[in-house]
Amino acid sequence: MSFLRRRFGGGTPTTSSPEPSREPTPDADKAEELRVVTAKKLHLLSEKNKPKSSKRKNVWIFGLGGLFGVVAAAFFAGSNDLVDLKSLENMNLDSILDALPAAFVNDAQQLQKHERDAVNYDSFAVGLHARSQGVHALHPVIMIPGVISTGLESWSTEADSRQYFRKRLWGSWTMMRALVMDKPGWKRHIMLDKDTGMDPPGVKLRAAQGFDATDFFITGYWIWNKILENLATIGYDPTNAFTAAYDWRMSYMNYEKRDQYFTRLKSHIEVAVRVSNKKVVLLSHSMGSQVLYYFLHWVEAEGFGNGGPSWVEAYIDSWINISGCMLGAVKSLPAVLSGEMKDTAQLNAFAVYGLEKFLSRHERAEIFRAMPGISSMLPIGGDAVWGGEDWAPDDRPGQNDSFGKFFRFRDNNSTLTKANLTVAESLPYLFRNSEDWYKDMVLHAYSHGVAHTAAEVEANQLISNKWINPLETRLPLAPNLKIYCFYGVGKETERAYYYKEDHDPLSKTNVTIDTSFSNGKIDRGVVMGEGDGTVNLLSAGYMCAKGWRMKRYNPAGVSIKTYEMPHEPDRFSPRGGPNTGDHVDILGRSSLNDLILRVAGGKGDLIDEAYHSNIKEYAEKVRIYDDDESSTGE
């Protein structure tokens, strides 16, 4: 992967977005010297600092994703007219280029030209502007990535695994080649043992480490790379910035049991504070925010991290929560129930195509169930958060059916599809239509309820399977901790589903999404609601807008700031450009990068809250109440 990036990216990716966010800087009125860069100035910075590189190096930075899709399609089709499989066997890029049709290469070059014209600004410009305004590295930064964005590599030396030694079986070209040419072997490596929830016998898959573990999913498909570029521009490097990658397949307690993940994370934080004499800033994305919330409980608990109730206050300055699925994501339910992915679990389009084309629905469901980490994102809060039969907090005016009807069945003749189901009812339904080992694993690892009193919350602080759930536990007793919730809004997101009995004789699943039904906001059996394309607005925003402002969930009065970012994609950019609010692509958003640098540079107190959605209105309709406790803030 790194070889391909060096070869085609020149070591420094040069494409990004053409202008800074159209949003005003959050602190413009408070600090004149911290005004966000204008579009004109950013363009001048970009031209001044743009590295020179050959046309060949530029062509594939974004176009390589399209190349991967065609190569994968050719694999699946088995068409020798498109690609000579032998020439691809070792994934030599020159051979791939030679094998591709000339028309496709020309189209890709044209796409890249449009991309450069539309989003031609230097990735480092946001950092350069922040540096010119006096923002410099201050706090050590530790990044916790989201689900599936961390590469997994094989360390097994068994005979059947030696061909994959230290190669990534998730997040690389090797993954796709193994999926196509050695599907049984790939499944054996990628699936965890159904009894232990850890490695099956003879297999040893581990999370890749360092910045390379998370900066790109595959060559050209960046994830954390733009944030790393801008952090580096204000003075960060491997001595004061770290990534804490994890094996996202496992349940959270197994992170510690097998890999000592939380112990290592605690040590990283303590060393960083001791060396710099500054508290750390923790930066998490998506499921990484759930992992971090779990860690905040683990690290203080007696018999676990043993840090005591003052540890967070002593070591953590701020938590930047980016697109955190704090109350889960409804997309996770179809993935484990019937193997229907859409873009579930943050897979990019090419990985989705490969898994859906080459694996049956049953195989996909089996794989996702054998990754209990995925099930940490099952919806939290039940009907109190997601609604009942005839209501939901986020119902829109004039809506025909409430979002509270989460699973809907048009055919009531089947014993499997007799009635509509709410979110609370859908979990038992999932367990009835899956294996006992899966039910036992989920119930042992996670909890999805609501604690309605401070006494319940305090009791739950001692129960480890409650630690992922912010509605059953509280924030640390750290009055100087600051939490920043940054997430995208305005992109349609899966909210409910039409299901039917699965009559496919080749399928082993009991039910499937009714893809024959479309109507208005219903797209092939999927009912669309509000969010960032992956995480629903209620999940990303409720705890930030209201939940953590209740005293029982935040008794120490931890500062909470919410900054929503409207989804305003650039139509010429495959990744949405500088103003995207998409769940993954937001990591390249210029205003998000600007906000991150300000928090890391010790100027987060100048950030004002910004709301663009109806989350405050929805939050008031959620049926979780203060229980006569005083609020911790507006």
Side-chain angles (χ1 to χ4, degrees), residues 565-606:
M565 303 181 190
H567 182 54
E568 299 171 341
D570 189 314
R571 64 190 183 94
F572 291 110
S573 172
R575 301 294 299 276
N579 294 296
T580 179
D582 175 81
H583 184 67
V584 174
D585 296 342
I586 197 173
L587 294 175
R589 185 182 178 112
S590 56
S591 58
L592 174 67
N593 276 256
D594 182 60
L595 292 167
I596 290 170
L597 298 187
R598 294 177 191 278
V599 175
K603 300 181 183 297
D605 59 319
L606 298 177

Side-chain angles (χ1 to χ4, degrees), residues 500-614:
K500 65 179 182 179
E501 191 170 3
D502 191 351
H503 294 294
D504 185 346
L506 300 179
S507 175
K508 296 181 182 179
T509 57
N510 295 327
V511 290
T512 181
I513 292 177
D514 187 357
T515 56
S516 65
F517 184 54
S518 295
N519 183 17
K521 292 290 185 180
I522 304 168
D523 179 18
R524 291 173 294 178
V526 179
V527 184
M528 307 305 290
E530 298 182 58
D532 64 8
T534 295
V535 173
N536 310 91
L537 177 60
L538 285 171
S539 179
Y542 174 76
M543 294 307 301
C544 305
K546 185 177 180 182
W548 283 330
R549 298 170 199 254
M550 294 183 189
K551 190 171 180 61
R552 72 172 178 271
Y553 296 133
N554 185 5
V558 170
S559 170
I560 312 292
K561 287 188 178 181
T562 300
Y563 196 90
E564 294 184 334
M565 303 181 190
H567 182 54
E568 299 171 341
D570 189 314
R571 64 190 183 94
F572 291 110
S573 172
R575 301 294 299 276
N579 294 296
T580 179
D582 175 81
H583 184 67
V584 174
D585 296 342
I586 197 173
L587 294 175
R589 185 182 178 112
S590 56
S591 58
L592 174 67
N593 276 256
D594 182 60
L595 292 167
I596 290 170
L597 298 187
R598 294 177 191 278
V599 175
K603 300 181 183 297
D605 59 319
L606 298 177
I607 296 174
D608 290 325
E609 291 197 301
Y611 289 93
H612 298 274
S613 73
N614 294 321

Side-chain angles (χ1 to χ4, degrees), residues 318-513:
S318 304
W319 168 20
I320 302 176
N321 169 21
I322 304 172
S323 305
C325 51
M326 300 313 302
L327 300 183
V330 301
K331 287 182 173 184
S332 60
L333 254 169
V336 294
L337 172 63
S338 55
E340 279 152 305
M341 299 165 49
K342 308 300 177 187
D343 55 350
T344 294
Q346 304 175 25
L347 300 178
N348 66 60
F350 314 118
V352 167
Y353 176 83
L355 295 181
E356 287 194 336
K357 184 75 175 179
F358 208 66
L359 297 170
S360 68
R361 282 197 305 272
H362 171 71
E363 286 179 306
R364 296 194 301 266
E366 181 187 26
I367 289 171
F368 281 137
R369 291 173 194 171
M371 296 175 172
I374 297 290
S375 294
S376 70
M377 294 187 294
L378 292 172
I380 290 171
D383 294 355
V385 171
W386 302 98
E389 175 71 18
D390 57 0
W391 77 279
D394 51 340
D395 282 342
R396 297 163 171 169
Q399 196 170 300
N400 291 331
D401 287 307
S402 171
F403 287 137
K405 296 178 181 178
F406 180 59
F407 280 170
R408 309 172 184 184
F409 304 99
R410 294 193 295 159
D411 179 9
N412 293 324
N413 294 324
S414 166
T415 58
L416 297 171
T417 59
K418 279 190 172 181
N420 297 323
L421 302 174
T422 65
V423 163
E425 295 165 337
S426 69
L427 289 178
Y429 183 80
L430 166 65
F431 297 144
R432 289 197 302 270
N433 286 279
S434 56
E435 303 85 353
D436 289 342
W437 62 263
Y438 173 72
K439 174 183 176 181
D440 294 341
M441 190 177 295
V442 172
L443 294 179
H444 178 74
Y446 311 118
S447 180
H448 301 90
V450 177
H452 292 284
T453 68
E456 287 181 78
V457 168
E458 289 303 318
N460 289 338
Q461 294 295 110
L462 305 175
I463 305 173
S464 61
N465 75 332
K466 306 283 188 181
W467 292 346
I468 72 157
N469 187 344
L471 295 176
E472 293 187 296
T473 54
R474 59 164 169 77
L475 289 172
L477 301 177
N480 291 306
L481 174 67
K482 298 175 284 291
I483 298 178
Y484 300 90
C485 299
F486 301 147
Y487 57 89
V489 296
K491 185 174 183 181
E492 295 212 322
T493 305
E494 295 174 26
R495 181 62 175 86
Y497 303 88
Y498 280 85
Y499 261 87
K500 65 179 182 179
E501 191 170 3
D502 191 351
H503 294 294
D504 185 346
L506 300 179
S507 175
K508 296 181 182 179
T509 57
N510 295 327
V511 290
T512 181
I513 292 177

Side-chain angles (χ1 to χ4, degrees), residues 243-285:
T243 55
Y246 52 93
D247 187 341
W248 43 265
R249 300 173 303 156
M250 295 192 297
S251 63
Y252 292 3
M253 189 52 72
N254 281 344
Y255 292 179
E256 177 65 19
K257 185 176 180 180
R258 195 195 72 179
D259 298 340
Q260 301 80 52
Y261 174 78
F262 296 119
T263 295
R264 296 173 192 275
L265 177 56
K266 180 188 178 193
S267 297
H268 272 307
I269 293 171
E270 291 174 341
V271 169
V273 171
R274 191 156 53 246
V275 169
S276 67
N277 201 31
K278 295 289 183 183
K279 295 182 186 180
V280 302
V281 168
L282 299 175
L283 179 57
S284 63
H285 175 244

Side-chain angles (χ1 to χ4, degrees), residues 151-171:
L152 302 175
E153 59 189 23
S154 175
W155 281 83
S156 174
T157 57
E158 298 292 322
D160 292 341
S161 301
R162 291 172 191 164
Q163 61 178 318
Y164 300 123
F165 182 71
R166 293 206 61 208
K167 294 181 180 178
R168 294 193 185 179
L169 291 176
W170 188 270

